[in-house]
Amino acid sequence: KSDKAAHSRVMYFTYDQYIEKWDEIAAIFAPEAIRRGSFDKYVQSNKLKRGTAEVDDAFLADISGWRELLARNIALRNDGIKTRELNFAVQRTIDRLIFLRIAEDRGIEPYGRLRDAAQADPIYPELGRLFKLADQKYNSGLFHFTVEKGRDGESPDTLTLSLQIDDKPLQAIIKNLYYPDTPFQFDMIPADILGQVYEQFLGKVIRLTAGHRAKIEEKPEVKKAGGVYYTPTYIVDYIVKHTVGKLLEDKTPKQAAKLRILDPACGSGSFLIGAYQYLLDWHRDWYVSHLNKGLQPLAKSSSAPSTDKGLKPLV
């Protein structure tokens, strides 16, 4: 935030240079140049420019630092905590903070709510209140503190809200989630980038030493494999298209509802997210195509007649 405007600058033209430099500018930024891939090539050529970093690397460095801060503090302030509980508590707390922060930038949650919570004294009980509100709003295991009907296979979290966490690490983490301390626009970071970050992040684990101090180290299986490998989005899309896509051929939405998709080693969930997006797109396309085949457009009437295929009016 203290850098001058010229820091890490890769190109700089003033308006009076546009005519002289037009060919150079157009070769990168003109629509036809972008369609040819010139802009992508230009970005690739500047990847390693001094002072720059890619989003996934920078964000991974941030959350890795937060993990270390939280792990050390929770281990220090909660004597009886076990290794597995410590890993769960640290991971879940970071996940919740990032989720709510992304929700703020995407307009789902009021902007600045986490930042305001960091002004409380103490902070963690106020965060706990926000987490409980999120439990009422989002049907997710990320926020699940009480027994609910229909969720017999998933135990509620009775650990994290009872922990002692100092204000200092929480203030540091939350401060680094907001401008000007963060360089990230969380509404612009796509799910696959977050997935890449989390694949790397989940490759390490917290271990408690004999002196009850937290130490971060690679998981044995990751060390043996030589690191964490993330499946690129285009490969995920290809596999989903030729698996889920095949199962959906000649199906109706009613039949599609019976499909079950399992990824037992899902990591950050790239295949599950890909499958979910494919299903959303498939349902949209199915309804659009069947509207065009005879269903009355929604804008004309809210009581469109059903067809002989058993379709009900869309609402």
Side-chain angles (χ1 to χ4, degrees):
K1 63 181 179 179
S2 60
D3 290 338
K4 293 182 178 179
H7 181 75
S8 304
R9 181 183 284 155
V10 294
M11 183 184 287
Y12 179 70
F13 298 134
T14 56
Y15 75 93
D16 56 349
Q17 295 176 288
Y18 285 174
I19 294 176
E20 176 191 350
K21 299 288 186 178
W22 186 254
D23 289 345
E24 184 178 346
I25 295 170
I28 300 170
F29 299 106
E32 59 272 20
I34 292 173
R35 283 192 289 271
R36 288 196 307 267
S38 298
F39 179 75
D40 291 335
K41 289 177 184 176
Y42 177 75
V43 171
Q44 293 290 326
S45 70
N46 282 281
K47 267 189 173 183
L48 301 179
K49 187 167 179 67
R50 185 179 178 183
T52 66
E54 293 198 32
V55 170
D56 53 350
D57 293 334
F59 194 46
L60 176 61
D62 279 355
I63 63 175
S64 296
W66 303 342
R67 172 168 55 192
E68 194 164 342
L69 271 178
L70 278 177
R72 288 179 175 176
N73 189 255
I74 293 174
L76 178 67
R77 296 299 180 202
N78 301 270
D79 290 336
I81 197 167
K82 298 175 182 177
T83 301
R84 185 168 183 171
E85 293 172 334
L86 179 60
N87 276 276
F88 173 80
V90 170
Q91 183 70 53
R92 193 52 59 93
T93 302
I94 290 174
D95 290 348
R96 288 166 180 163
L97 291 173
I98 292 173
F99 175 87
L100 291 176
R101 183 64 189 87
I102 291 172
E104 286 185 10
D105 268 7
R106 294 188 179 184
I108 302 168
E109 293 286 335
Y111 182 81
R113 182 178 275 189
L114 285 177
R115 184 180 55 194
D116 294 342
Q119 306 303 314
D121 183 18
I123 294 172
Y124 193 57
E126 178 61 17
L127 286 178
R129 186 184 70 82
L130 294 184
F131 296 162
K132 286 179 180 178
L133 288 174
D135 187 15
Q136 298 170 20
K137 186 173 183 179
Y138 304 106
N139 185 21
S140 163
L142 189 56
F143 306 99
H144 179 33
F145 304 110
T146 57
V147 176
E148 296 177 25
K149 187 177 180 181
R151 296 180 74 166
D152 299 334
E154 185 180 2
S155 300
D157 171 15
T158 58
L159 169 69
T160 57
L161 296 187
S162 66
L163 295 173
Q164 295 294 319
I165 305 179
D166 289 338
D167 288 351
K168 191 173 180 180
L170 292 172
Q171 284 173 335
I173 292 169
I174 293 172
K175 186 168 183 274
N176 277 292
L177 285 169
Y178 288 92
Y179 178 85
D181 294 274
T182 183
F184 307 114
Q185 287 183 251
F186 290 101
D187 56 334
M188 301 302 292
I189 302 179
D192 63 311
I193 293 292
L194 289 172
Q196 291 178 42
V197 171
Y198 266 85
E199 288 283 357
Q200 298 292 326
F201 186 68
L202 296 172
K204 293 188 177 181
V205 68
I206 306 163
R207 179 174 65 84
L208 282 171
T209 66
H212 205 70
R213 291 180 177 272
K215 185 177 180 180
I216 315 295
E217 58 188 19
E218 275 192 333
K219 291 180 178 177
E221 61 269 28
V222 171
K223 191 179 291 186
K224 186 177 180 181
V228 174
Y229 299 94
Y230 183 79
T231 308
T233 303
Y234 73 91
I235 293 179
V236 171
D237 292 343
Y238 179 86
I239 292 173
V240 168
K241 181 180 178 181
H242 289 82
T243 52
V244 178
K246 293 291 183 184
L247 292 172
L248 289 169
E249 286 181 359
D250 302 320
K251 295 283 195 304
T252 65
K254 189 174 182 179
Q255 293 170 321
K258 296 178 181 178
L259 290 179
R260 295 292 181 268
I261 298 171
L262 172 67
D263 185 358
C266 67
S268 62
S270 56
F271 280 98
L272 293 175
I273 292 170
Y276 177 63
Q277 187 61 53
Y278 191 94
L279 286 166
L280 290 177
D281 295 343
W282 180 87
H283 279 84
R284 176 202 62 204
D285 295 343
W286 192 94
Y287 281 113
V288 167
S289 68
H290 283 73
L291 279 172
N292 292 337
K293 288 179 181 178
L295 282 179
Q296 192 170 341
L298 298 181
K300 292 184 179 179
S301 172
S302 61
S303 58
S306 61
T307 69
D308 57 358
K309 293 185 179 180
L311 295 175
K312 295 181 179 179
L314 298 175
V315 181

